[in-house]
């Protein structure tokens, strides 16, 4: 790259932190727009955005991150493309950080030329890990099933959201939806329908969003994961996940009565 090449610069460090400019966005311009200390840093090209190359640099888990901001800040600010690309950069970085040695033979691994992969001297190759998750809005007439999760629970103002969980080996997505909802809430569902998906780079999930209809059962909360669960109507909603999340999109879509 030349000193005058226009690009977007994704500088990562710590745990899911990103360097942002004074406008709260991923820096864009020539390399001169970055702190002087990064002038000779080994950036790698990983994507493209509106004709501009996107370069990535991981300063490491122990880096000085005083100038950096949480990745989530881009999402909360409504910067959809910035969040998607910074999330992709973080997933690639997480992969690099966690695949320094080969899982098959234990030898050191290094980046493979030409693709995002790690390879050892035996030729064993690893690719970025992606963990499929389902996330589902369960509807009962005009109401929707929402739960307060034990993780990040705030007793004074709990956030409620839709149910979600990881796909298990050998399971299809519809089975996963039915199993997760039953395990966490005691509810049986039918008519499972795919809506949309969202990569979720904390650290490497792919959220696949569904709606489903209530079939039978009484709510019985699974204590390990949930504090409370209930059916809510649009006129008495608790605090919901932020805009920009697929959870919020599923909730709003369901309450609007869309299929
Ligand atoms: Zn190996």
């Amino acid at each position: 790259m030349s000193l005058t090449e226009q690009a977007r610069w994704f500088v990562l460090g710590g745990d899911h932190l990103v360097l942002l400019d004074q406008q709260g966005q991923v820096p864009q311009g020539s390399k001169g727009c970055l702190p002087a200390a990064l002038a000779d840093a080994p950036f790698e090209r990983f994507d493209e955005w509106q004709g501009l190359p996107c370069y990535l640099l991981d300063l490491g888990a122990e880096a000085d991150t005083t100038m950096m901001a949480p990745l989530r800040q881009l999402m909360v600010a409504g910067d959809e493309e910035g969040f998607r690309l910074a999330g992709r950069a973080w997933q690639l970085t997480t992969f690099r950080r966690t695949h320094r040695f080969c899982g098959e033979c234990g030898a050191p691994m290094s980046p493979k030329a030409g693709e995002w992969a790690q390879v050892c001297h035996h030729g064993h190759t690893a690719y970025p890990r992606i963990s499929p998750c389902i996330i589902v809005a369960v509807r009962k007439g005009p109401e929707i099933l929402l739960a307060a999760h034990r993780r990040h629970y705030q007793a004074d103002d709990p956030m409620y959201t839709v149910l979600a969980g990881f796909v298990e080996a050998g399971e299809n997505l519809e089975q996963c939806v039915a199993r997760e909802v039953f395990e966490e809430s005691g509810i049986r569902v039918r008519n499972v329908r795919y809506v949309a998906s969202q990569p979720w780079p904390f650290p490497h999930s792919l959220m696949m969003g569904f709606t489903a209809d209530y079939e039978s059962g009484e709510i019985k909360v699974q204590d390990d994961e949930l504090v409370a669960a209930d059916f809510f109507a649009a006129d008495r909603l608790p605090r919901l996940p932020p805009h920009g999340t697929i959870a919020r999109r599923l909730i709003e879509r369901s309450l609007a009565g869309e299929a």
Side-chain angles (χ1 to χ4, degrees):
M1 86 195 75
S2 73
L3 281 173
T4 54
E5 182 183 8
Q6 298 293 303
R8 284 194 110 188
W9 306 93
F10 294 77
V11 180
L12 317 181
D15 180 7
H16 288 87
L17 299 175
V18 186
L19 181 72
L20 300 182
D21 63 17
Q22 286 182 337
Q23 287 74 46
Q25 293 176 329
V26 174
Q28 181 180 328
S30 69
K31 212 175 183 185
C33 73
L34 295 174
L38 301 178
D40 297 319
F43 279 90
E44 287 177 275
R45 186 174 174 145
F46 75 99
D47 213 324
E48 206 181 281
W49 180 78
Q50 293 188 353
L52 289 181
C54 296
Y55 286 102
L56 144 62
L57 174 71
D58 177 23
L59 297 177
E62 309 298 328
D64 175 5
T65 55
T66 43
M67 303 282 283
M68 295 192 180
L71 172 58
R72 280 169 200 270
Q73 192 171 307
L74 289 167
M75 181 190 77
V76 174
D79 184 352
E80 209 170 300
E81 270 307 279
F83 176 65
R84 187 187 70 76
L85 285 163
R88 173 163 153 72
W90 255 110
Q91 282 188 244
L92 296 172
T93 290
T94 300
F95 165 66
R96 282 272 177 82
R97 286 189 186 181
T98 56
H99 288 76
R100 293 162 52 232
F101 297 94
C102 179
E104 286 189 68
C105 72
M109 297 189 108
S110 53
K112 188 176 180 184
E115 59 182 343
W116 272 93
Q118 291 282 90
V119 63
C120 76
H121 68 278
H122 289 120
H124 299 141
T125 306
Y127 293 90
R129 182 175 165 195
I130 298 169
S131 302
C133 286
I134 63 88
I135 181 163
V136 56
V138 177
R139 299 192 302 192
K140 188 181 184 186
E143 298 184 327
I144 179 173
L145 178 62
L146 297 172
H149 288 70
R150 204 161 285 287
R151 211 157 54 100
H152 315 305
Y153 184 72
Q154 274 176 258
D156 53 339
D157 184 23
M159 186 187 83
Y160 278 70
T161 187
V162 287
L163 299 181
F166 287 102
V167 179
E168 294 188 348
E171 189 175 53
N172 69 32
L173 298 175
E174 294 80 1
Q175 290 167 333
C176 182
V177 167
R179 176 184 56 74
E180 278 292 340
V181 173
F182 182 72
E183 281 180 4
E184 293 191 6
S185 70
I187 299 292
R188 297 283 185 191
V189 294
R190 62 182 171 80
N191 203 12
V192 175
R193 298 175 305 287
Y194 174 74
V195 177
S197 63
Q198 182 181 40
W200 193 243
F202 305 102
H204 39 61
S205 296
L206 174 61
M207 309 299 294
M208 291 172 285
F210 292 83
T211 57
D213 295 330
Y214 170 89
E215 185 178 68
S216 62
E218 297 292 319
I219 291 178
K220 185 174 177 300
V221 166
Q222 199 230 39
D223 294 343
D224 290 351
E225 291 190 33
L226 304 183
V227 179
D230 206 349
F231 285 99
F232 290 87
D235 59 356
R236 56 166 200 109
L237 289 172
R239 184 162 66 88
L240 298 176
H243 290 282
T245 57
I246 190 161
R248 182 64 175 255
R249 186 172 159 194
L250 288 172
I251 292 167
E252 291 186 347
R253 188 188 162 95
S254 288
L255 290 172
E258 292 173 43

